[in-house]
Amino acid sequence: MAAATTVRLVLSSEVRLVDIVHAASEHMAGVAGFEEDDALNVGIAVREAVINAIRHGNRMDATRKVDVLLRAKPASIVARVRDEGTGFDPQATPDPTAESNLLQTSGRGILLIRAFVDNVDFKYREGRGMEVTLTKKHGRRAKVNGGSER
């Protein structure tokens, strides 16, 4: 791969469209040269970020958009997911590994995202929603819970 390849998807906040983003993310990871397993992990991480954008950011309002930018580079893939919501503090989200949360049916999206990519950056854009940027690099293993590499 010589240069960066970029794909942008803009979708309404409908969960039925998440499979399209997952497939595009996984394919773009392949374009960036990732093996099948790592490409799948990128697809899952981006999928979770988009589900969060639809459910928590845009509150399932189909008139609100989720903007997904996928950039495959020779040594990495970067996915940026933007919603039109009011934002949130990622540090204030409940710990899904806490005993009191183990039986909850949701709340593991950020944990999964962090498990499958190398870096996750959260940025609230005043009046324009939340932006989550995921980066996966070649030759690096994702850190689990910010600790040891797997």
Side-chain angles (χ1 to χ4, degrees), residues 39-105:
L40 175 61
N41 289 345
V42 169
I44 292 170
V46 175
R47 176 187 197 91
E48 288 297 326
V50 171
I51 289 171
N52 284 345
I54 291 171
R55 287 194 174 156
H56 305 294
N58 291 343
R59 306 276 183 211
M60 303 292 288
D61 180 349
T63 65
R64 290 183 168 189
K65 302 297 181 204
V66 177
D67 186 319
V68 180
L69 184 74
L70 304 167
R71 181 167 292 136
K73 300 177 182 180
S76 66
I77 182 166
V78 176
R80 185 199 70 210
V81 178
R82 290 180 171 169
D83 64 39
E84 297 179 352
T86 57
F88 70 99
D89 178 358
Q91 301 302 323
T93 58
D95 178 1
T97 64
E99 188 170 334
S100 61
N101 295 326
L102 292 178
L103 298 178
Q104 298 294 322
T105 58

Side-chain angles (χ1 to χ4, degrees), residues 22 25-26 29-30 33-45 115-117 136 140-141 150:
H22 182 131
S25 302
E26 196 171 336
F34 286 94
E35 297 287 329
E36 188 175 327
D37 287 352
D38 282 334
L40 175 61
N41 289 345
V42 169
I44 292 170
F116 291 137
V117 296
K136 177 80 174 170
R140 297 190 59 190
R141 303 302 292 182
R150 58 178 186 98

Side-chain angles (χ1 to χ4, degrees), residues 94-128:
D95 178 1
T97 64
E99 188 170 334
S100 61
N101 295 326
L102 292 178
L103 298 178
Q104 298 294 322
T105 58
S106 65
R108 295 173 183 82
I110 294 174
L111 178 73
L112 289 173
I113 293 168
R114 286 185 168 138
F116 291 137
V117 296
D118 299 311
N119 189 56
V120 183
D121 182 51
F122 299 91
K123 179 179 175 184
Y124 177 66
R125 303 170 308 127
E126 186 69 36
R128 296 181 297 148

Side-chain angles (χ1 to χ4, degrees), residues 15-35:
V15 173
R16 67 183 178 94
L17 301 176
V18 171
D19 287 345
I20 295 169
V21 177
H22 182 131
S25 302
E26 196 171 336
H27 185 80
M28 286 293 284
V31 168
F34 286 94
E35 297 287 329

